[in-house]
Amino acid sequence: MSLNGPLFEIRSGEYAATIASSGATLVGLRHAGRRITASFDARAAVGEGWEGRALAPWPNRIPEGRYSFAGVDYEVPINDHAHQAALHGLAGHQAWGLVEAAEDRVALALDLPGSLGYPFDVSLSASYSLSRDGLSVSLAATNLGVAPAPVALGSHPYLTWDDAPLDECSVQAPGVTALLVDERLAPIRLVDVAEADLDFRTPTPFAGRRVDTAFQAPDGAWAIELRHAAGGVVLRSEAPWLQLFSADPLGRRALAAEPMTHGPNAFNGPDADVALAAGASRTLRYTIAVL
């Protein structure tokens, strides 16, 4: 056991990963012994920046922890007190149960406990699978209730090349519009990435760059690439949103690259955007590999 519950080691070829049952967390991914995602000591710590955790039933922030759905007002606990927001959902530190474990894959599940702030019957599942081509991740939610539920999904891996400083790396990311935020990181409006000086659509040296921004992704498949002189790592997805975070409080040795089914504060947008019908499922998928 550990502070993050049972830990699972999976391997394929030169890839190896550690998954924790708490939060269905990708504790670390390695290739040929090198770290390609940020990791932490899962036996003795919970991480300082949501490293690798599953984000559900919402990613990012709900300002003041308040939202409305189907004409009813709800309030969920604030856990980001600096910004007075409810951050990254309710599942990231829950004990997920083991569904399957094999040498190259592990699957976990969680019946998300209902609460006054989120009284919906939602089941979550996460799978991590390694091959010689890298890591494939799937995070899914199913509405087991009899009425629609608000559901959004995200994941919080940090890309790194063996803990090399971000200032020695370049970044390429597909965001076409960037979400401007206020001093509490609450959304204001979307703008073109060039207007916001956040255009990473071509390889961009990251020295001195700081970012903690959500982007709308282009339709279809896209990739976030982190390159260092010694090598590189790529996250691929088709999710409609992504967040980049330069991890300045954590030492700037990894870039959070967070695929999301919805943007920040989506629960306070139109109900239809986040509503998951009774019996329906919603899935987020992505892969991570060396370049």
Side-chain angles (χ1 to χ4, degrees):
M1 289 293 289
S2 70
L3 282 183
N4 293 276
L7 304 177
F8 306 96
E9 302 285 342
I10 57 176
R11 295 180 176 275
S12 180
E14 293 190 284
Y15 286 98
T18 303
I19 313 299
S21 58
S22 175
T25 299
L26 174 61
V27 174
L29 175 63
R30 304 168 297 283
H31 179 266
R34 298 182 182 90
R35 294 182 182 182
I36 59 172
T37 69
S39 61
F40 62 98
D41 181 359
R43 296 187 181 279
V46 296
E48 299 180 24
W50 294 83
E51 292 97 323
R53 294 188 182 271
L55 312 179
W58 71 87
N60 219 285
R61 291 171 176 85
I62 300 176
E64 298 183 347
R66 297 173 181 169
Y67 71 96
S68 297
F69 184 77
V72 180
D73 294 335
Y74 298 101
E75 187 170 349
V76 288
I78 290 173
N79 59 349
D80 179 3
H81 294 282
H83 302 106
Q84 285 297 291
L87 179 63
H88 288 334
L90 303 170
H93 293 278
Q94 296 277 356
W96 294 52
L98 178 64
V99 175
E100 178 189 15
E103 181 180 2
D104 59 355
R105 64 190 181 277
V106 64
L108 303 164
L110 172 68
D111 286 330
L112 187 66
S115 63
L116 291 175
Y118 192 81
F120 304 99
D121 191 0
V122 172
S123 176
L124 302 172
S125 62
S127 67
Y128 295 88
S129 178
L130 281 177
S131 72
R132 295 183 181 275
D133 296 323
L135 176 70
S136 296
V137 182
S138 175
L139 175 63
T142 300
N143 181 0
L144 302 179
V146 297
V151 174
L153 302 172
S155 188
H156 210 303
Y158 286 76
L159 306 182
T160 186
W161 184 257
D162 211 22
D163 296 332
L166 285 182
D167 289 340
E168 297 178 3
C169 299
S170 67
V171 171
Q172 184 170 0
V176 292
T177 56
L179 184 63
L180 299 184
V181 296
D182 64 16
E183 66 279 1
R184 290 190 172 183
L185 303 185
I188 299 175
R189 68 183 186 277
L190 283 163
V191 299
D192 184 88
V193 290
E195 177 184 341
D197 193 25
L198 291 167
D199 190 349
F200 298 104
R201 288 174 292 182
T202 58
T204 303
F206 216 70
R209 299 297 298 261
R210 287 172 170 77
V211 63
D212 190 3
T213 304
F215 299 82
Q216 282 187 316
D219 293 337
W222 50 260
I224 299 170
E225 297 182 2
L226 177 76
R227 293 181 181 269
H228 184 264
V233 57
V234 58
L235 182 149
R236 295 185 174 93
S237 183
E238 296 185 6
W241 284 85
L242 62 113
Q243 178 95 10
L244 297 180
F245 172 46
S246 51
D248 299 88
L250 307 181
R252 289 179 59 82
R253 292 186 174 273
L255 176 73
E258 308 164 42
M260 304 182 292
T261 62
H262 298 75
N265 200 26
F267 278 20
N268 280 307
D271 283 1
D273 288 354
V274 295
L276 184 62
S281 296
R282 177 167 292 150
T283 304
L284 172 73
R285 295 183 177 89
Y286 66 94
T287 64
I288 302 176
V290 295
L291 288 165

